[in-house]
Amino acid sequence: MVRHEESVQIRAKTAAGAAEGEERLKMKQIIFATGNAGKLKEIREIMKDTGFEVLSMKEAGLALDIEEDGATFAENALIKARAVCAASGGIALADDSGLEVDYMGGAPGVYSARFLGEDTSYGVKNRYILDKLAQAQEEERGARFVCVIAAVFPDGREETREAVIEGRIAREPAGENGFGYDPIFYVPEYGCTTAELSMEQKNKISHRAKALNRMKEEVLCRL
Ligand code: ITT
């Protein structure tokens, strides 16, 4: 029979254990500060071997309207990760990325999501870029996807990792996979656009995969 004092101790231990367990669980959870479903799908695939559970902001019960008013990918990634870390008290990751087109002086760059208006379809955005480059020769069609992944920790630590994938603007859109500017981003090594690659193939070479893999290896797996 368990005496009253023992039972109080057991309850206290159980509560402490549960709190510890919760703390450990929290350490294994990451909230990804993105509202972009295409990004989240790729990120979950890249993170699946880490032991971390990746929660979307919605799954974490966060409804934040974050103003991305930074001048660089790194600033915007940090703005998003800081906001989610502050609101949740947990580890937050964010991705800020975009397409730089040489012939357009690096545009749309950090404005990639807002280019021609946030609600404008990618069919229209992609057609606009193809038309802009209608007279551009092959060697003038250089472009790259850039991605900065930011991690912000409850103790105030902040990390960023950046990566790019070099390619060219295609002559015509092609492919149904991926999202955003993928149908017009041609990768010479693969002889197709990133929208024609499977997610598995894209996740071997993309800006996002390279930046997130570095964050995984150099930061997250060392926690
Ligand atoms: P969050 O801020 O909520 O993460 P977002 O779509 O607004 O989502 P960004 O501000 O980082 O994200 O804008 C990045 C835009 O760049 C994105 O909407 C795409 O149009 C484009 N982009 C980035 N990575 C891409 C990829 O892998 N394939 C195609 N387009 C990409």
Side-chain angles (χ1 to χ4, degrees), residues 33-36 39 42 57 68 80 95-99 109-110 112-114 118 122 145-146 178-182 194 202 206-208:
T34 182
N36 181 320
K39 277 186 189 179
E42 293 181 6
M57 292 199 285
E68 297 175 38
K80 291 185 261 191
D95 163 315
D96 202 69
S97 45
L99 176 69
V110 288
S112 290
R114 287 162 278 173
E118 190 109 30
Y122 277 90
F145 275 130
V146 184
F179 64 96
Y181 298 100
D182 280 325
T194 40
K202 186 179 171 193
S206 83
H207 51 319
R208 177 163 302 102

Side-chain angles (χ1 to χ4, degrees), residues 7-213:
S7 116
V8 170
Q9 269 175 14
I10 290 168
R11 270 210 303 274
K13 264 193 198 159
T14 317
E20 245 175 57
E22 238 170 59
E23 205 45 49
R24 266 202 307 277
L25 200 69
K26 227 176 172 183
M27 279 301 292
K28 283 308 220 182
Q29 282 183 336
I30 282 175
I31 304 173
F32 220 104
T34 182
N36 181 320
K39 277 186 189 179
L40 195 62
K41 226 165 134 187
E42 293 181 6
I43 286 159
R44 284 209 156 112
E45 181 65 23
I46 299 163
M47 291 292 291
K48 74 174 183 211
D49 61 349
T50 56
F52 281 97
E53 185 189 4
V54 176
L55 301 179
S56 65
M57 292 199 285
K58 201 170 164 203
E59 286 163 344
L62 299 175
L64 302 174
D65 188 14
I66 306 167
E67 198 188 344
E68 297 175 38
D69 54 3
T72 63
F73 293 110
E75 277 173 28
N76 280 334
L78 280 168
I79 287 170
K80 291 185 261 191
R82 280 182 196 135
V84 166
C85 180
S88 67
I91 304 171
L93 255 66
D95 163 315
D96 202 69
S97 45
L99 176 69
E100 291 180 349
V101 180
D102 292 342
Y103 199 76
M104 294 166 60
V110 288
Y111 301 105
S112 290
R114 287 162 278 173
F115 183 57
L116 304 180
E118 190 109 30
D119 295 330
T120 303
S121 77
Y122 277 90
V124 170
K125 295 187 200 214
N126 287 339
R127 176 51 57 193
Y128 179 93
I129 294 175
L130 292 178
D131 289 348
K132 268 257 175 233
L133 271 68
Q135 305 306 321
Q137 299 304 305
E138 217 43 42
E139 63 278 9
E140 297 174 301
R141 306 184 74 86
R144 69 205 53 76
F145 275 130
V146 184
C147 175
V148 173
I149 299 288
V152 174
F153 297 87
D155 66 1
R157 180 178 172 197
E158 298 186 341
E159 299 279 351
T160 57
R161 295 294 182 275
E162 175 166 342
V164 304
I165 172 175
E166 295 285 345
R168 278 189 233 143
I169 298 303
R171 294 277 172 185
E172 280 301 319
E176 304 287 329
N177 302 331
F179 64 96
Y181 298 100
D182 280 325
I184 62 164
F185 189 78
Y186 181 82
V187 191
E189 293 88 326
Y190 281 73
C192 65
T193 68
T194 40
E196 293 177 287
L197 297 175
S198 66
M199 184 159 72
E200 202 180 36
Q201 289 171 319
K202 186 179 171 193
N203 275 349
K204 283 201 180 110
I205 60 167
S206 83
H207 51 319
R208 177 163 302 102
K210 288 191 271 187
L212 191 50
N213 277 324

